[in-house]
Amino acid sequence: MRIDILTILPELLEGPFSASIMKRAQDKGHVDIHLHNIRDYSTDKHKNVDDYQYGGGAGMVMSIEPIVTIIEKLQKERFYDDVIFMTPDGTLLEQGVCNELSLKKNLILLCGHYKGIDERIREHFITKELSIGSYVLSGGELAAAVLTDAIVRLLPGVLNNETSALTDSFQDNLLSPPVYTRPPEYRGWKVPKILLSGNFPEIEKWREKKAQERTQERRPDLFDK
Ligand code: 6GU
């Protein structure tokens, strides 16, 4: 899979992809992540990438030209399944969307900033708009990092059996049950006896019950699904 991220702050995205699972996924060739600095495509003499909005009002708007230049350059090189705009007014990101996107071959993620992007970019190039939650971030970069991480960990070969994405919270609309490791007792706080019993069918039942209780308590919206 290939992911091209269009941003005015590429340095914000270098960190999240240079460690742990995301780094290994790239090193092993499961994903190819390319960062593009929108400013490099500005033809403005000051390398501006934003401008005042027509009709007046506070807040700058990201200009159409540099963004269209990169998108069209990339689309000439290969077919893109989706051109995704990261914006707080997009569709709320959920596991199902991540699962679907993990099956695609090439994606473009555009990180929004300022008051937004010239609406004509959305009309003519954007195929999906995604938000990562009901709060406002300074820009779409961290959201793009979240989306990329959520997709990449689903790619075959990225996780091993032990960390398999199939047992993640949300894959079955259930939160994970509590987990414990050694020691069996710490300051008098004991690990539930059942987990030390070696009775695996009973342990599985216990985990299922705890997962259901936790989901009902914390995320009744998921439980109803
Ligand atoms: Cl995708 N962008 C911004 N700027 N804020 C957000 C968001 C995206 N998702 C939630 N808040």
Side-chain angles (χ1 to χ4, degrees):
M1 175 176 220
R2 174 177 169 128
I3 302 178
D4 289 87
I5 306 182
L6 320 187
T7 168
I8 57 167
L9 293 169
E11 62 272 30
L12 252 186
L13 285 163
E14 278 154 20
F17 302 138
S18 61
S20 185
I21 291 168
M22 292 302 114
K23 177 170 194 307
R24 194 151 31 86
Q26 293 173 85
D27 291 347
K28 292 208 294 188
H30 296 301
V31 66
D32 215 355
I33 299 171
H34 295 261
L35 303 179
H36 304 271
N37 191 340
I38 296 171
R39 208 170 294 282
D40 293 343
Y41 295 82
S42 170
T43 52
D44 189 273
K45 61 176 179 293
H46 299 110
K47 292 274 167 205
N48 281 335
V49 288
D50 60 332
D51 209 337
Y52 298 101
Q53 56 177 311
Y54 278 123
M60 307 292 277
V61 173
M62 289 174 82
S63 303
I64 186 165
E65 198 200 335
I67 291 172
V68 169
T69 304
I70 317 180
I71 294 177
E72 287 190 329
K73 171 179 141 20
L74 291 170
Q75 285 181 331
K76 255 189 221 128
E77 292 166 1
R78 67 195 62 77
F79 172 79
Y80 283 89
D81 300 276
D82 270 310
V83 181
I84 302 171
F85 179 40
M86 303 308 300
T87 174
D89 53 12
T91 309
L92 207 55
L93 181 64
E94 296 195 72
Q95 188 63 50
V97 177
C98 301
N99 294 352
E100 272 168 37
L101 291 175
S102 74
L103 302 172
K104 311 280 186 185
K105 198 159 153 40
N106 301 306
L107 297 174
I108 293 176
L109 311 186
L110 170 61
C111 305
H113 259 269
Y114 314 108
K115 264 272 161 236
I117 59 173
D118 190 305
E119 187 67 17
R120 292 167 291 185
I121 303 171
R122 297 168 102 153
E123 289 168 6
H124 297 284
F125 293 93
I126 300 299
T127 60
K128 269 195 178 63
E129 307 202 356
L130 294 176
S131 158
I132 64 161
S134 305
Y135 43 82
V136 178
L137 301 168
S138 321
E141 281 76 13
L142 298 180
V146 166
L147 175 62
T148 302
D149 184 300
I151 292 172
V152 169
R153 62 195 302 288
L154 297 173
L155 300 177
V158 168
L159 299 185
N160 54 36
N161 247 348
E162 255 165 57
T163 52
S164 165
L166 290 175
T167 58
D168 283 345
S169 283
F170 296 108
Q171 283 298 10
D172 46 10
N173 284 324
L174 277 183
L175 302 181
S176 296
V179 293
Y180 301 84
T181 185
R182 292 188 297 177
E185 184 173 341
Y186 178 77
R187 295 189 183 169
W189 306 327
K190 293 194 176 76
V191 172
K193 251 203 210 98
I194 178 74
L195 295 177
L196 310 176
S197 71
N199 185 341
F200 294 106
E202 283 305 312
I203 289 172
E204 216 26 68
K205 264 195 238 162
W206 181 88
R207 286 181 172 152
E208 178 73 20
K209 181 167 146 266
K210 288 290 175 189
Q212 289 191 8
E213 283 171 7
R214 187 164 274 195
T215 310
Q216 200 149 31
E217 230 174 78
R218 299 184 182 189
R219 292 293 305 273
D221 57 309
L222 281 181
F223 199 76
D224 294 338
K225 287 185 191 171

